Amino acid sequence: MKSLEERISRAIWRHTSRDWINMSSVDIVIVGAGPAGMTAAKYLADKGLKVAIFERRLSFGGGIGGGGMLLHKIVVDEYAIPILKDFNVKHIYDDEEQLYIIDASELMAKLAVGAINSGAKIVQGVHVEDVIYRENPLRIEGVVIQWSSVAMAGLHVDPIFVSSRAVIDATGHDAEILRIVAKKVPESKIVLAGERSAYAEVSEKIVVERTGRVIPGLYAAGMAVAALHGLPRMGPIFSSMLLSGKKVAELVVEDLKPL
Ligand code: 48F
């Protein structure tokens, strides 16, 4: 007769292993469970694609949770309303400012629920430290992952791999994956212009416009787009993060179609 302790351990090992074997190859890896990453995940999973989000923290939401300077509200403009409806996020209209107001906690939770209910997997505590690439023709074909705790402890532990047909950098202001590829795959010719100071009206539009494929197999969404193209920041208005996530999903679906 197995003890409860033994059964707990066996259950966790068995089901985690099954998941990881299943995730050793996916259609799309999304790096970062912020607003752009989770929005992209839902729309990709809605198309029946196998989606894994790797998030290095033990929570999802990225920059949403801090609201605006720790005040628990964020704002969006009208262009984001259809996305809020898809995720069932409550929003109220402020007549005076002509903006929609959302509770930060509700947006975080419902973006995650939407992505998960559509079939995407969010795995927390996993740090993406590199990519898999192929030459002739150049293509990104997955990511190299490590437990965040190992990365934080600075231990020298070899990572493992997740193969994918597409990788989306949704890591926010630091554009971590683009930065790695720029440095370690020089033939990618990626040059990060670096994010510019605040100019919300311009950045809300242009971040969405410039969202897309960077090199074959590698895409940028959310604030990573600003870091790549030298675009201004916008602070706690999140319409472009949601629209960028939706747009990158549509572009990836289009690119993966012929296979
Ligand atoms: O920063 P984040 O929320 O990115 P985003 O989706 O949205 C930006 C807004 O939050 C806000 C803004 C717009 O109004 O200016 O800042 O572009 O979410 C990025 C997530 O990626 C995780 C990080 O912990 C965060 O949750 N992340 C970053 N690098 C890695 C990573 C990595 N190398 N591996 C795994 N996760």
Side-chain angles (χ1 to χ4, degrees):
M1 176 79 175
K2 288 182 228 132
S3 68
L4 178 57
E5 288 84 353
E6 185 181 350
R7 283 159 47 222
I8 292 168
S9 302
R10 288 172 63 91
I12 289 177
W13 281 117
R14 180 177 304 119
H15 289 270
T16 309
S17 306
R18 276 185 194 158
D19 266 12
W20 278 112
I21 289 167
N22 191 249
M23 281 190 297
S24 58
S25 175
V26 298
D27 290 314
I28 300 109
V29 165
I30 299 174
V31 189
M38 293 196 289
T39 306
K42 174 191 165 47
Y43 291 114
L44 287 163
D46 279 344
K47 295 286 178 192
L49 293 161
K50 190 168 157 188
V51 182
I53 306 187
F54 296 122
E55 166 55 55
R56 75 169 160 217
R57 297 190 207 161
L58 296 180
S59 58
F60 44 68
I64 301 172
M69 218 179 85
L70 290 184
L71 307 175
H72 68 275
K73 302 284 182 188
I74 56 125
V75 302
V76 299
D77 70 24
E78 60 185 340
Y79 305 111
I81 300 305
I83 300 177
L84 295 183
K85 289 189 174 153
D86 285 348
F87 283 88
N88 197 23
V89 175
K90 291 197 291 291
H91 45 282
I92 58 164
Y93 186 62
D94 182 309
D95 288 320
E96 210 175 320
E97 314 307 339
Q98 298 178 15
L99 286 167
Y100 292 85
I101 320 297
I102 306 167
D103 269 10
S105 57
E106 174 161 355
L107 185 63
M108 290 165 78
K110 290 197 173 163
L111 290 180
V113 167
I116 292 165
N117 282 352
S118 292
K121 197 101 192 157
I122 303 180
V123 188
Q124 299 171 155
V126 172
H127 173 83
V128 175
E129 64 162 50
D130 208 339
V131 298
I132 304 169
Y133 79 105
R134 296 290 180 261
E135 295 171 321
N136 306 317
L138 178 65
R139 183 168 182 85
I140 300 303
E141 291 206 342
V143 293
V144 179
I145 59 167
Q146 181 57 273
W147 303 122
S148 302
S149 49
V150 169
M152 288 166 77
L155 298 174
H156 179 102
V157 179
D158 267 324
I160 56 172
F161 309 104
V162 174
S163 298
S164 68
R165 296 163 71 194
V167 173
I168 300 174
D169 184 338
T171 62
H173 297 267
D174 292 334
E176 287 198 18
I177 307 308
L178 301 179
R179 219 169 277 285
I180 290 163
V181 177
K183 188 170 155 207
K184 297 177 76 172
V185 189
E187 57 272 42
S188 70
K189 298 193 170 60
I190 294 174
V191 178
L192 283 107
E195 183 184 289
R196 300 186 58 169
S197 296
Y199 192 164
E201 198 167 345
V202 167
S203 60
E204 273 275 275
K205 285 197 187 75
I206 200 164
V207 163
V208 183
E209 278 168 29
R210 303 295 297 272
T211 291
R213 195 172 78 159
V214 183
I215 58 170
L218 180 63
Y219 299 77
M223 286 313 285
V225 177
L228 175 62
H229 294 298
L231 312 179
R233 66 189 305 184
M234 76 287 287
I237 179 161
F238 277 73
S239 343
S240 56
M241 298 299 101
L242 306 179
L243 289 157
S244 171
K246 185 168 187 194
K247 180 176 174 186
V248 83
E250 289 164 356
L251 295 171
V252 170
V253 166
E254 200 51 42
D255 285 355
L256 295 189
K257 233 183 216 164
L259 276 179

